[in-house]
Amino acid sequence: MDYNAHLDQALNRLHQEGRYRTFIDIERQKGNFPHALWNKPDGTQQPITVWCGNDYLGMGQHPAVLAAMHEAIDATGAGSGGTRNISGTTVYHKRLEWELADLHGKESALLFTSAYIANDATLSTLPKLFPGLIIYSDELNHASMIEGVRRNGGAKRIFKHNDVAHLRELLAADDPAAPKVIAFESVYSMDGDFGPIKEICDLADEFGALTYIDEVHAVGMYGPRGAGVAERDGLMDRIDIINGTLAKAYGVMGGYIAASAKMCDAVRSYAPGFIFTTSLPPAVAAAAAASVAHLKTDQELRDKHQTQAKILKTRLKAMGLPIIDHGSHIVPVIVGDPVHTKKLSDMLLEQFGIYVQPINFPTVPRGTERLRFTPSPVHGPKEMDTLIRGMDQLWSHCALNRADLSA
């Protein structure tokens, strides 16, 4: 077996399809977000503006967050020293879990090293807790949810995206006595559309199912205290398990679930993804707790974020660009071809200092390749004007429109 030849074939396929992913080496500058420096391959540096980051509100630079992190480093040092079961639980981890439970109005919360691990570990563990469990999963759920459902060894049903009628058909076809969980998202990150939370909760009540919602792209940004879309819509009490992240709007790192005390205790006790993983550094937990606490009261920042997203979408629409607008903060511009998407991304970076990564298959379906812009409260008029000018010039220059791509 020529292992290197097989590796070459696998990598060459990605290059030929225009899907090979390159990492842009950037240096974030404290206090200067969204501006950064691009460390170019030739050893030089170029100032850039980050337009594709998930630090949606700029909280990774917030003074309260940085102060909490510095304080914890000075008090405890760098790492946690072990798993949560073996010396890795500190006052900072407990405070963060309390903040998260309070945020979502739940009895308890359980902290993981990422929201990916939280989804995977929880969904793969539920069948151990509920023998015969059937999980009903939206077809566009995040890869972490898909992986958790795939690995759990139980029965699964995939319903068409946001299709409540199809979900009802699947629920009605199964044994009424079987334990059930409906897993879905509040904001789907690639198109920016919202899940039908109320309708799904109604079906869960009707068929005796638990509800599991991923609020990763909503926590911090929606609801009067930033608890997500379910809070905004007054539906949090109808959700059994809420998954969220600390690495996007909260600007730090980590993931969690919030649920009943018994549910969190059971997942804590049975999930290998929790039991055998070193816990987050205390400084990271302290920073995340400070960020969660701050955003419970900073509605002005949330409002400004939504305003910036609306402005960008309005200006891109005025140019006639094919954007998707479901009313969320996500701003996808559909290019429809992986090679052209990468080319446009490269030209924006090199000519205008605009950093936006191409989104290709398998993250999105083939033929829907896109640039996904994430405006923040600190993307001001100057940054917005530069982006619009760059998109205007390059889109026209490259003739990147759907008619050309389909010809």
Side-chain angles (χ1 to χ4, degrees), residues 172-342:
D174 284 319
D175 182 357
K180 302 173 178 67
V181 173
I182 305 172
F184 62 107
E185 299 185 35
S186 63
V187 179
Y188 290 84
S189 63
M190 288 300 110
D191 285 351
D193 55 333
F194 295 94
I197 302 175
K198 181 183 181 302
E199 291 81 357
I200 288 178
C201 288
D202 289 343
L203 283 180
D205 289 344
E206 181 180 349
F207 289 94
L210 296 173
T211 48
Y212 184 106
I213 192 170
D214 180 310
E215 289 260 30
V216 161
H217 289 274
V219 289
M221 296 171 283
Y222 295 86
R225 297 204 308 158
V229 179
E231 182 195 31
R232 182 197 70 180
D233 296 347
L235 298 168
M236 261 197 320
D237 61 324
R238 301 185 66 187
I239 303 294
D240 295 294
I241 306 174
I242 298 173
N243 170 276
T245 186
L246 303 162
K248 292 182 170 58
Y250 292 118
V252 192
M253 178 184 176
Y256 63 90
I257 60 168
S260 69
K262 286 184 179 180
M263 181 68 75
C264 289
D265 192 21
V267 172
R268 176 189 71 84
S269 300
Y270 281 87
F274 177 86
I275 296 170
F276 299 106
T277 300
T278 299
S279 66
L280 288 173
V284 171
S291 186
V292 172
H294 176 86
L295 285 178
K296 287 177 180 178
T297 61
D298 197 342
Q299 185 60 40
E300 182 180 353
L301 193 61
R302 278 188 282 278
D303 291 341
K304 188 174 182 182
H305 179 228
Q306 293 293 323
T307 297
Q308 292 299 88
K310 290 176 183 176
I311 291 172
L312 179 58
K313 286 186 283 190
T314 298
R315 296 188 68 176
L316 291 172
K317 286 178 183 178
M319 295 166 57
L321 299 190
I323 81 164
I324 299 175
D325 183 7
H326 290 287
S328 73
H329 61 284
I330 305 293
V331 187
V333 177
I334 303 300
V335 181
D337 176 89
V339 174
H340 286 138
T341 306
K342 179 66 165 62

Side-chain angles (χ1 to χ4, degrees), residues 322-381:
I323 81 164
I324 299 175
D325 183 7
H326 290 287
S328 73
H329 61 284
I330 305 293
V331 187
V333 177
I334 303 300
V335 181
D337 176 89
V339 174
H340 286 138
T341 306
K342 179 66 165 62
K343 180 179 180 181
L344 184 55
S345 171
D346 290 344
M347 294 176 72
L348 284 168
L349 182 65
E350 294 164 2
Q351 298 181 27
F352 293 91
I354 293 169
Y355 174 43
V356 54
Q357 275 290 80
I359 307 293
N360 296 322
F361 178 85
T363 306
V364 295
R366 297 181 192 274
T368 69
E369 292 82 3
R370 66 198 63 184
L371 299 177
R372 175 182 172 273
F373 296 99
T374 55
S376 77
V378 289
H379 284 93

